[in-house]
Amino acid sequence: MQVFVADHPLITHKLSVLRDKNTPQPIFKQLIEELMTLLAYEATREVRVTPRTVETPVATTTGVALSEPRPLVVPILRAGLGMLEGMMRLVPTAEVGFLGMARDEETLEPTTYAERLPKDLSGRQCFVLDPMLATGGSLAAAIDFLFARGADDVTAICVLGTPEGVEVIRQAARDRKVRLVLGALDEGLNEQAFIVPGLGDAGDRLYGTAH
């Protein structure tokens, strides 16, 4: 498994504002989208392309186009939705599927409660969006789900991660082609399995808490 942790002053700056508990919800949402676009440059470094001929106003040249089947972007509901727009700015022709994963607050085990994905993902490159890689259970389950459908290449993109979560994904990846792209690698988890120093609950800060 390949792991990339971003090291760029713009990403660090935006993360610092995200972490601030006083950052208002609209700014938080905007920053998540901006960070996703920055991280997507690295995440799509190995996206598959095919040569194509291009007629410029001056001459004929050879460029590239995204290969078929097109990349599949899979945000993990609900917090992953906040990253979707930033990803689609970079790859607007990608297809989008959805995967609903929830963590049992007592057992911390992930469960799948919804999915909207093609039944056959053979030959597909998949990009999974999940802001927080905490225990790694939900993301590992999502990766297993995609490979079980036939995907042969999965890249997971997270705003923050922990050493514990990275190790869980490493074990889940085994000999499969998995890439992990992080905005930052934080210290670890507290007793409630929240990332420290982290930024709180990304879903609540993006969308509020339903009552």
Side-chain angles (χ1 to χ4, degrees), residues 48 121-125 146-147 150-154 176-177:
R48 295 168 186 162
L121 295 176
S122 298
R124 300 296 293 265
Q125 277 188 303
L146 295 172
F147 278 114
D152 61 7
D153 186 330
V154 175
R176 302 177 296 194
K177 187 169 184 180

Side-chain angles (χ1 to χ4, degrees), residues 18-187:
L18 271 184
R19 293 183 191 276
D20 190 334
K21 65 180 183 181
N22 296 313
T23 296
Q25 182 179 349
I27 300 300
F28 188 92
K29 183 175 184 296
Q30 179 184 339
L31 286 169
I32 287 284
E33 292 179 3
E34 292 174 0
L35 275 166
M36 181 63 242
T37 300
L38 292 171
L39 293 174
Y41 278 103
E42 178 60 33
T44 55
R45 184 177 295 276
E46 296 181 10
V47 70
R48 295 168 186 162
V49 295
T50 54
R52 59 164 294 198
T53 300
V54 179
E55 294 283 347
T56 81
V58 179
T60 300
T61 188
T62 300
V64 298
L66 292 182
S67 299
E68 294 288 344
R70 288 177 289 168
L72 180 67
V73 179
V74 184
I76 296 181
L77 303 177
R78 67 180 167 145
L81 285 175
M83 304 169 72
L84 180 58
E85 185 63 32
M87 182 73 175
M88 296 307 289
R89 286 200 191 104
L90 200 66
V91 281
T93 60
E95 295 180 355
V96 179
F98 298 94
L99 193 55
M101 308 291 296
R103 185 177 71 174
D104 186 295
E105 293 304 323
E106 293 184 2
T107 66
L108 303 181
E109 292 298 318
T111 58
T112 302
Y113 65 85
E115 63 97 354
R116 186 71 174 178
L117 293 165
K119 296 299 181 185
D120 185 4
L121 295 176
S122 298
R124 300 296 293 265
Q125 277 188 303
C126 298
F127 295 87
V128 183
L129 314 182
D130 194 7
M132 312 293 280
L133 174 59
T135 63
S138 295
L139 186 56
I143 290 170
D144 282 340
F145 191 100
L146 295 172
F147 278 114
R149 286 281 175 96
D152 61 7
D153 186 330
V154 175
T155 297
I157 310 166
C158 306
V159 174
L160 296 180
T162 64
E164 299 96 320
V166 170
E167 184 55 32
V168 167
I169 301 305
R170 193 184 305 279
Q171 293 178 16
R174 301 194 296 276
D175 59 348
R176 302 177 296 194
K177 187 169 184 180
V178 175
R179 218 163 162 253
L180 182 59
V181 176
L182 304 175
L185 185 63
D186 275 11
E187 297 170 13

